Amino acid sequence: MNNLLEIQGLSKTYGSVAALNDVSLSIEPGHIIGLLGPNGSGKTTLIKIICGLLQANSGTVLVDGNPAGTADSRAAISYLPDQTYLDGDMTIEAIVDMFKYFYEDFDENRAMEMISSLNLNPKAKLKTLSKGNQEKVQLMLVMSRRAKLYILDEPIAGVDPAARDYILRTIISNYEPTASMIIATHLISEVEPVLDEAIFLQNGSIKLFKPIDDIRAEEGMSVDELFREVYRC
Amino acid sequence: MLGKFIKYDLKKTAPVMALLCGITILLGIVCSILQHWSQDTEYALIELLGLMVLCVIAPLHMISKYYCKSLYTNEAYLTYTFPASNKVIVSSKIIVTLIWATIFCASAFISLVAFTPESIMHVINERTDPKVVLKIIYLLFVMFLMGIAGVMALIFSICIGNLWRNHSTIGTILCFTVLGFTLMFIYMKNLGMSVAHRGDHFWGYEDLFWNFVCSIVLIVVFFVATVNITSKKLNLD
């Protein structure tokens, strides 16, 4: 089986600070991977390079066999950034139409079902919604695509526990089984139940990349407990 | 995909830009009617000042609310994740900006013509030499190209300014100031050289030729440079 994501020798520096240091990893289709690490460990930098939003200093990134940042690699990725990135002056309906216009794999019916499940008015402007609802709308749009690689950067940070449960249920129920998903977060205990594998990132390097079951069996503790031990201040 | 981007962005920017163009044309018509009734010359000043204000508002809106917002703010996370290469994305934004710049220039011209319809009637009634009409069109076209080169210089300056993450605004202003003075120098030098070459002190339409050429070259150079630099140096923090 060809790897969906292939990263070799990836490095990125900001001045004298190494955000990523010789990172290499491969991800096959059909896996949900937690990209875990404390603030400043390089999670968002790695994600942005995969999505073609940042230029690496060295190394290669192939998404479904295509170099990162090309049209084909972007078509394969459905990305949720860690901030609001949609035009607040647009209505939900207009944003759905925009996704439908640009993405061939966008499922409009799925998107509208999820939006109506939240009792949101499709004609409401995005900026009139609460922060939590804005993030849910963004998540729904991302999960309504039948992409090959879903990348969610801190999807549950900054929302209340009930909203976190909703977001995680939405992720699991709308995820394409043949696709892979990378969830970057530092809220390990919340996402651990949905993960197949975990990547621990520290100071721009991969410290661990193992299946969740192997971590529990070998370490005798949950991923959350292991994370607290590894990253203890 | 380029056509798709252009079509979508033209539709999205149409409400505000069509309104601005409409106001521009309406300004000329209203001032013309009021001047005809009142015979006051102050409406010429209102028309001129109104056009000057609109000539600032229209490009400011396109550059800040459309071009910069979609490429250099949080919305860039959406723009640059659409299934297209960076070159296609940046090219589409520049092309849409230039299309609206062209439509706005046409609106401003229509506004001026609407304000002074008697000048057009004079040309038609007196059966002015077609060569003179062609020369006037040539002059207007060269001035239009020089304006577009100025818009491209601003877009290029924004691209250069954003290479310095923490000082993008200052970088843009500095770059545009230098380019602005350089463009003015080039245009005036071209005019002066052409007049000097002819040996008299009169100004003719043939003196615009090198400004015509320079404008086209500058537009192409700024376009290619902006697309390539923005594409290769994309770093969204």
Side-chain angles (χ1 to χ4, degrees), chain A residues 10-55:
Chain A
L10 194 68
S11 294
K12 171 71 179 175
T13 55
Y14 290 103
S16 58
V17 176
L20 291 175
N21 185 17
D22 195 30
V23 168
S24 296
L25 71 102
S26 302
I27 292 174
E28 292 172 352
H31 292 245
I32 300 180
I33 297 129
L35 183 60
L36 313 174
N39 297 334
S41 56
K43 304 190 296 294
T44 297
T45 301
L46 177 60
I47 283 172
K48 285 182 182 177
I49 292 174
I50 294 170
C51 293
L53 303 174
L54 274 183
Q55 307 290 327

Side-chain angles (χ1 to χ4, degrees), chain A residues 12 14 48 52-55 69 71 74-75 79 81 83-87 89-90 98-99 101-103, chain B residues 1 4-5 7-8 12 69 74-75 77-78 80-86 89 231-232 234-237:
Chain A
K12 171 71 179 175
Y14 290 103
K48 285 182 182 177
L53 303 174
L54 274 183
Q55 307 290 327
R74 285 174 174 161
Y79 168 54
Q83 55 201 289
T84 308
Y85 68 121
L86 298 172
D87 183 354
D89 288 317
M90 289 176 76
M98 174 178 66
F99 269 66
Y101 181 79
F102 284 109
Y103 294 108
Chain B
M1 201 43 148
K4 216 167 175 176
F5 271 105
K7 190 177 159 190
Y8 180 82
K12 191 179 174 195
K69 198 172 170 207
N74 282 357
E75 273 185 46
Y77 283 95
L78 176 68
Y80 284 111
T81 49
F82 282 132
S85 66
N86 289 348
I89 290 169
S231 303
K232 290 194 171 106
L234 177 64
N235 275 302
L236 290 182
D237 288 324

Side-chain angles (χ1 to χ4, degrees), chain A residues 42-227:
Chain A
K43 304 190 296 294
T44 297
T45 301
L46 177 60
I47 283 172
K48 285 182 182 177
I49 292 174
I50 294 170
C51 293
L53 303 174
L54 274 183
Q55 307 290 327
N57 292 103
S58 62
T60 57
V61 177
L62 294 176
V63 179
D64 200 25
N66 302 297
T70 58
D72 290 331
S73 67
R74 285 174 174 161
I77 298 174
S78 189
Y79 168 54
L80 178 70
D82 58 352
Q83 55 201 289
T84 308
Y85 68 121
L86 298 172
D87 183 354
D89 288 317
M90 289 176 76
T91 62
I92 297 173
E93 207 170 51
I95 295 169
V96 167
D97 285 340
M98 174 178 66
F99 269 66
K100 186 178 159 193
Y101 181 79
F102 284 109
Y103 294 108
E104 288 177 4
D105 58 13
F106 184 72
D107 187 339
E108 186 188 4
N109 291 333
R110 188 198 277 186
M112 294 314 292
E113 266 171 34
M114 286 196 275
I115 285 164
S116 65
S117 73
L118 275 180
N119 295 320
L120 292 174
N121 178 7
K123 298 197 188 304
K125 285 191 178 178
L126 195 71
K127 64 183 179 186
T128 62
L129 304 180
S130 65
K131 181 174 179 289
N133 276 343
Q134 285 185 21
E135 293 186 4
K136 284 175 194 169
V137 167
Q138 287 190 167
L139 176 74
M140 285 168 196
L141 292 165
V142 166
M143 297 310 299
S144 294
R145 283 189 54 205
R146 299 188 193 284
K148 291 182 180 175
L149 178 64
Y150 297 86
I151 301 180
L152 312 180
D153 195 353
E154 301 286 0
I156 57 173
V159 293
D160 60 76
R164 283 184 203 165
D165 286 343
Y166 177 85
I167 286 169
L168 287 171
R169 280 201 313 275
T170 302
I171 289 170
I172 296 309
S173 60
N174 290 284
Y175 153 71
E176 290 287 325
T178 54
S180 279
M181 182 178 292
I182 298 174
I183 303 176
T185 184
H186 54 270
L187 300 172
I188 318 294
S189 58
E190 305 270 359
V191 299
E192 185 174 342
V194 307
L195 299 179
D196 296 323
E197 289 158 322
I199 298 173
F200 278 17
L201 209 54
Q202 187 175 32
N203 297 326
S205 299
I206 292 181
K207 291 298 174 198
L208 180 144
F209 183 12
K210 275 187 186 174
I212 299 292
D213 291 339
D214 288 357
I215 292 173
R216 288 179 188 147
E218 288 169 19
E219 305 293 334
M221 59 178 83
S222 69
V223 176
D224 184 49
E225 287 165 345
L226 179 63
F227 182 91

Side-chain angles (χ1 to χ4, degrees), chain B residues 8-9 19 26 39 44-46 51 78 85 102 110 200:
Chain B
Y8 180 82
D9 283 347
L19 180 66
L26 204 61
Q39 300 298 320
L45 188 61
I46 292 172
L51 276 181
L78 176 68
S85 66
T102 304
I110 294 169
D200 58 36

